[in-house]
Each structure stands twice: as structure tokens, then as C-alpha cells.
Amino acid sequence: MKLSAQSVEKLEKFFARLQSETYPESPSNIHTAITEQMIGFFFQHYSLPASAKVLDVGCGQGVALERFQARGFRPVGITLNETDVRVCQEKGFEVYQMDQSFLDFDDEQFEFIWCRHCLEHSVFPYFTLSELSRVLKPGGYLYVEVPAPDTVCRHQSNGNHYSVLGKTMWLELFQRSGFRNLNVLDLTFEVVAGPDLYWAFIQQKS
């Protein structure tokens, strides 16, 4: 299907509006703790080549980038928010202002993709996952963490959450995008409003 110039213009206006709705992701105690926990979990069970190239999708202000660099990997971050790009670059990280669905990277560039709390911000996650698969090397790993719907936090009601899907739908989209499921974890914890739930998916490119 070839889009007309008018259709492309509509999409560009829509994406410009979405970009205007982004906000800086300052580090928080709970998200930093979960990041450290899950990076630790991943490397307890899986390994990457020395100096592997890692893509952090929705890198915020560099919490995961710092952890990957400390382990000797080559992290690259992308985010839509200008403030987060600036903060990360001031810390010396290679970070680009880039949409997760339109990656300006060549095919098969990364051994590992870290995508924590970013896919729920995609308006078409199947396409986004196809892009992540494209830039991942065969046999490379993908870590995805997303909020579950219908918890006390009502993540589906967040203004810039567009794809708060069920667990089985996520698994289906991973498979359709060329991934093999290795592990699924329920991350439960308490917030002020009550119990909340995230899902962590560890996938491998077929």
C-alpha cells in the first residue's frame, strides 16, 4: 500500500502532536530499583558478547544506559523528549531524538534491545516491534516491560498510553514480529493507590 501525499501529511501532523505530549523522565526510586533488578535478572540467565551494542528504547535520563556502560557494553539511547536527550548527552551518552517506530539505524545493528515502559506509548506496537526486530541481530535479545491494564493505577487511562494490552496479545505480537519467547515475569509491587503490576518479557530474535 502506497500512502498519498495527503495521508503522509496527516500522519506527520498526528506524530507531531504525539511528540508534543512527551515529558521528561527524571529518575525515580521505584523505577531505578526495578531497572537494576531486571538488568541483574537478565544477566543471571543470559549473556551478551563483550562490548555488545545495546539499544535503550525510551532511555529517559540514562538510568539503564549507566548500568549497561558499567558492564562494559556500548549503549545507545533513543527518546522523543528534548530534555532527556540533552541530559543524556551532557552525561556523555550516545543518545538520539528518535521515534521507536521509525528507527534511523541499519539492519541488525544491536545484540540487545532494552525497551522498558515504552511500547505502551506506541500507537501501532506491531509495527514498532517489527522495527525493533529489524535492527536486532539474529539471536539477539529483546527485553520489554509494560504496565498491565486494569490495575489500581489504571495505566490505560494515562494520556499518552495508547497500547496497554493484555499479556497474551503482547505474546502474539512478539511472535508475529519474529521473536521467540524465553521468559515472562509478573512484577508486582505496592504504590500509594494499592497493588500494581508490570509484565516483563524476554524475547530472542529467531
Side-chain angles (χ1 to χ4, degrees):
M1 181 181 70
K2 185 175 181 179
L3 296 177
S4 67
Q6 185 180 23
S7 295
V8 171
E9 183 181 0
K10 289 179 181 178
L11 278 173
E12 288 176 343
K13 288 181 178 179
F14 178 67
F15 291 134
R17 193 188 83 195
L18 296 185
Q19 183 171 347
S20 71
E21 295 173 355
T22 67
Y23 47 84
E25 289 282 356
S26 300
S28 69
N29 291 336
I30 188 167
H31 284 284
T32 297
I34 294 174
T35 295
E36 291 177 344
Q37 174 188 352
M38 298 315 298
I39 288 177
F41 178 90
F42 179 86
F43 287 108
Q44 285 175 4
H45 297 84
Y46 311 97
S47 61
L48 298 177
S51 301
K53 197 171 182 181
V54 177
L55 176 62
D56 184 355
V57 179
C59 63
Q61 297 187 0
V63 172
L65 294 173
E66 293 172 357
R67 274 68 182 174
F68 291 126
Q69 188 177 75
R71 289 176 177 266
F73 302 121
R74 294 177 294 152
V76 177
I78 65 168
T79 177
L80 276 178
N81 186 267
E82 294 179 358
T83 298
D84 290 344
V85 172
R86 175 180 52 79
V87 170
C88 286
Q89 290 178 347
E90 288 174 351
K91 292 179 179 179
F93 292 116
E94 182 182 352
V95 171
Y96 303 97
Q97 188 173 20
M98 192 182 301
D99 191 295
Q100 62 180 326
S101 299
F102 302 95
L103 300 176
D104 295 328
F105 300 115
D106 292 335
D107 295 353
E108 301 179 1
Q109 289 293 297
F110 300 94
E111 282 87 6
F112 183 36
I113 296 178
W114 176 264
C115 184
R116 184 174 183 275
H117 290 271
C118 201
L119 269 182
E120 65 268 25
H121 299 282
S122 173
V123 294
F124 33 35
Y126 184 15
F127 181 80
T128 306
L129 284 169
S130 297
E131 269 290 89
L132 298 184
S133 178
R134 179 184 66 78
V135 302
L136 188 64
K137 293 182 178 180
Y141 296 100
L142 168 68
Y143 175 90
V144 168
E145 187 180 314
V146 291
D150 301 318
T151 71
V152 295
C153 290
R154 294 184 52 79
H155 296 288
Q156 68 275 8
S157 298
N158 185 314
N160 65 355
H161 283 181
Y162 315 113
S163 299
V164 184
L165 308 179
K167 182 188 291 186
T168 55
M169 187 70 245
W170 282 121
L171 288 168
E172 182 66 32
L173 290 180
F174 293 134
Q175 182 180 11
R176 294 183 195 181
S177 303
F179 293 101
R180 178 171 66 94
N181 181 53
L182 300 180
N183 209 335
V184 182
L185 299 98
D186 291 354
L187 309 182
T188 58
F189 53 95
E190 290 285 330
V191 295
V192 175
D196 203 5
L197 172 64
Y198 296 159
W199 291 320
F201 302 92
I202 298 176
Q203 307 290 307
Q204 187 172 34
K205 183 175 176 178
S206 302

